[in-house]
Amino acid sequence: MLALRLTRAARPAVQLRRLLVAAASAGTGFLLLSCLGYALNRPEAADAAALRLAWCTLPLAATVYLALAVARTDPGTRPRPGLSAVGLGPARLMAISALTTALSCTLGSALALLFFLHLRGDLTGMPFDGAAADVLATGVPLPLPATATLLAVLPATATTAVAVALRPKDPRPRPAAEPHPTGSGTAGADGDETAPNGEPDARPPAPDSGVRTPVGLPWGVALVAAGLTAHAYAGRSAPALPVLLGWLLTATGLVVASPGLTHLCGLLLQACRPGALRLLAGRVLMTEAARIGRPLGVVSAVASAGYAMTTLYDDPAAAFGPLAALGALVVAGSTVATLLTVAVEARQCRAGTTAALLRLGAPAGTLRVAAALRAAALLALFAPLTLVIAALSALPLTR
């Protein structure tokens, strides 16, 4: 009941993000049910049905990623002082976030089932003159266990991902090793003591700058190179598995390398005698590289794959049917919505810093210009990179 009250009392922006999760869940659920209908209508084509079901993992993963991002930015389930006194500790808030995610995904799955039954003619007459009877298995009874299992995959996966990601962590710092007293000898490995007036064993740590440099850039570049190499050796006449493996390696490399590229973009903004505006924009990019880098990499991977697929076929409209278009819409829409949601999360995390800058007299227009500068810098880096990787991925397949 508490989760329902928090869901109902949320602001319109939060409700909109939850509706986006429900819409993505509905699209993914309809794709899964379409795979079931295709398998029921063509029991002899088991391999084709399994391949269709395997392709559904892409919209499934994109929807779970969106649900996780929405759960992170939910202000109603964020720990605040005083909530533990009324029984709303971190574990209880995590459970509420997981339950809210389950409600949104279950709503989408229910809508997918209703629309699927409507198209089959089980609720009303057959719409569209039975044009989609091939993937709907019209006239064949739907097996209830298989239907329930397919519709429960997305809510269960998204709820588990949210529960694992938002699980309470131990706030206590790890105990550090006690330094040796200054001026006293320390026993060595053989029982000898070092000189009392020598240098201490542990040097004082360097001051923390507050910005951690992402370490995945070399690995991401290596994965992208491996994926492009797999495309180059595959060729147009190769089976689908090497091509899919190459795209998977390339997409993984983009996701791994994107935090490092975002951090590098922030460094470039501060190069060559920067002013206060470029310093502010670059510092924010460096600080948020790990948070916004991975969604940027996912969007870049999806965009490059979509561009490569459209250039691979002479007539994309003939090659992609309505279900493929729905899958592409779910994947692209979920990744873009995830990026925007992460941007909202980053803005919420900067709320204290922004308020401090405003109290110090920083103009609000300067902060908006810095945000626009960050967006322009990221676009200038990732847009050409996406086009280059898409062209290199499609080049061996078009020869």
Side-chain angles (χ1 to χ4, degrees):
M1 293 301 296
L2 181 59
L4 291 175
R5 291 179 180 178
L6 291 176
T7 302
R8 185 181 60 183
R11 293 177 299 177
V14 179
Q15 299 286 13
L16 177 60
R17 292 195 291 266
R18 292 170 179 169
L19 288 178
L20 288 177
V21 174
S25 302
T28 304
F30 185 83
L31 291 174
L32 292 172
L33 292 177
S34 300
C35 294
L36 176 61
Y38 183 86
L40 292 175
N41 197 41
R42 296 185 178 181
E44 73 280 357
D47 294 339
L51 183 60
R52 284 171 174 256
L53 188 61
W55 275 108
C56 290
T57 56
L58 295 178
L60 177 66
T63 305
V64 171
Y65 195 36
L66 174 61
L68 180 58
V70 171
R72 288 181 181 273
T73 57
D74 194 344
T77 57
R78 184 173 303 161
R80 291 184 296 272
L83 290 181
S84 298
V86 295
L88 292 178
R92 188 74 176 274
L93 292 178
M94 179 272 295
I96 293 175
S97 296
L99 184 56
T100 304
T101 303
L103 290 175
S104 301
C105 295
T106 303
L107 175 62
S109 297
L111 292 177
L113 178 61
L114 290 177
F115 189 65
F116 186 77
L117 294 177
H118 172 68
L119 292 181
R120 278 172 48 92
D122 295 338
L123 301 180
T124 57
M126 176 66 67
F128 307 115
D129 297 329
D134 186 29
V135 296
L136 299 178
T138 304
V140 180
L142 287 178
L144 183 59
T147 304
T149 300
L150 288 177
L151 291 179
V153 167
L154 179 58
T157 306
T159 304
T160 304
V162 170
V164 171
L166 301 183
R167 67 187 185 277
K169 299 178 178 62
D170 190 0
R172 295 174 298 179
R174 295 181 179 179
E178 295 183 0
H180 296 291
T182 305
S184 62
T186 56
D190 299 330
D192 299 333
E193 289 187 350
T194 58
N197 296 324
E199 295 182 357
D201 295 339
R203 296 183 179 180
D208 188 8
S209 60
V211 178
R212 295 183 178 180
T213 304
V215 295
L217 183 57
W219 295 101
V221 173
L223 288 174
V224 171
L228 295 178
T229 303
H231 280 292
Y233 279 99
R236 188 180 181 90
S237 60
L241 184 58
V243 176
L244 293 178
L245 179 61
W247 274 339
L248 180 60
L249 288 175
T250 303
T252 305
L254 280 174
V255 175
V256 173
S258 291
L261 293 175
T262 305
H263 189 273
L264 178 62
C265 190
L267 286 177
L268 293 178
L269 274 178
Q270 302 175 76
C272 300
R273 303 178 64 180
L277 186 61
R278 283 199 292 147
L279 278 175
L280 179 60
R283 186 70 176 182
V284 170
L285 276 183
M286 292 173 60
T287 305
E288 299 174 351
R291 179 181 289 111
I292 66 175
R294 289 187 180 87
L296 276 173
V298 173
V299 171
S300 179
V302 170
S304 61
Y307 179 82
M309 291 297 295
T310 54
T311 58
L312 182 60
Y313 298 98
D314 296 331
D315 188 7
F320 298 100
L323 293 179
L326 176 61
L329 179 62
V330 171
V331 172
S334 297
T335 52
V336 173
T338 302
L339 179 60
L340 296 177
T341 304
V342 171
V344 171
E345 180 188 7
R347 183 179 179 182
Q348 292 175 353
C349 294
R350 294 195 313 268
T353 304
T354 303
L357 290 175
L358 292 176
R359 285 196 302 268
L360 291 175
T366 302
L367 301 180
R368 288 192 291 266
V369 173
L373 183 59
R374 293 195 300 270
L378 292 175
L379 183 63
L381 177 64
F382 279 91
L385 177 65
T386 302
L387 292 177
V388 168
I389 291 180
L392 292 177
S393 300
L395 182 61
L397 304 178
T398 55
R399 290 182 302 181

